[in-house]
Amino acid sequence: MQNFLNADYKLKYFSECISERLKNAKKDKSLALVTAPELSQFYLEHKVKHLYAEYLKCLENLLSDNLFFIKKTCLLAMAQLAKFPDMQNTILSALVNKFGDSDMQVVNELTKVLRLEVGLDFQLLGPLLSNIEEMMFRKNISRHAQFYCVNLLTNLNLGLIHERYLNSLMELYFKLFKKLVVSVEIKPEKAEPVKPKHEKKGKKKLQQKPK
């Protein structure tokens, strides 16, 4: 599948190819007529994009398989495909969501493969940060998922990261810190009400007079 993908080009559906072609025709009159080879190319690109979307959906479904080996293989495949612009957000969103998985083998493997892919291509860090931020500030997100997202980011080699990504990373940390501080409510301790002492009911025993 990677043979059909390009780091600098997004695949398009047939309608998108035609729309772009017509826009170019307005700028250059020599492109007014769409040729048969062009239509064939547009159709091939359409089919490849359609198959790619189905392939990714299949991988995402298998991330919930019972066998760890299958989940591990799918994590690696999706992480390697995340460097391409085609459906990049869809892939990263599916991967980042697995930080909330209760299976720690999956979480640890995910951290490993994402660290590897970001280390090979730091251009991936920008989209990854966007998806992590979107998930971490989602309503009702678990602390478990937040912790392992932060765990991934703190284990990256900051010395090799571009300055603009470092700024985004610091902003994310600060935003998370503010959320955690606000979420901790210090409630004053309430004094327990003092219960009044009631005299025991009943007749008092008469003290015997000394003889």
Side-chain angles (χ1 to χ4, degrees), residues 29-103:
K29 293 184 178 180
S30 64
L31 301 174
L33 295 176
V34 181
T35 63
E38 284 179 313
L39 291 174
S40 298
Q41 181 181 347
F42 296 162
Y43 180 71
L44 174 62
E45 187 172 341
H46 171 90
K47 293 299 290 184
V48 170
K49 187 174 180 70
H50 181 71
L51 289 172
Y52 183 50
E54 288 189 349
Y55 174 64
L56 291 178
K57 189 65 179 177
C58 181
L59 289 177
E60 186 177 353
N61 291 336
L62 288 173
L63 289 178
S64 301
D65 195 86
N66 293 327
L67 297 176
F68 173 68
F69 173 76
I70 292 178
K71 291 188 280 191
K72 177 181 178 180
T73 303
C74 293
L75 286 173
L76 179 59
M78 293 184 76
Q80 290 176 341
L81 291 170
K83 62 187 176 184
F84 298 104
D86 287 281
M87 304 187 73
Q88 188 178 61
N89 280 330
T90 301
I91 297 170
L92 290 175
S93 177
L95 290 174
V96 168
N97 282 337
K98 296 306 289 182
F99 278 119
D101 201 300
S102 58
D103 187 347

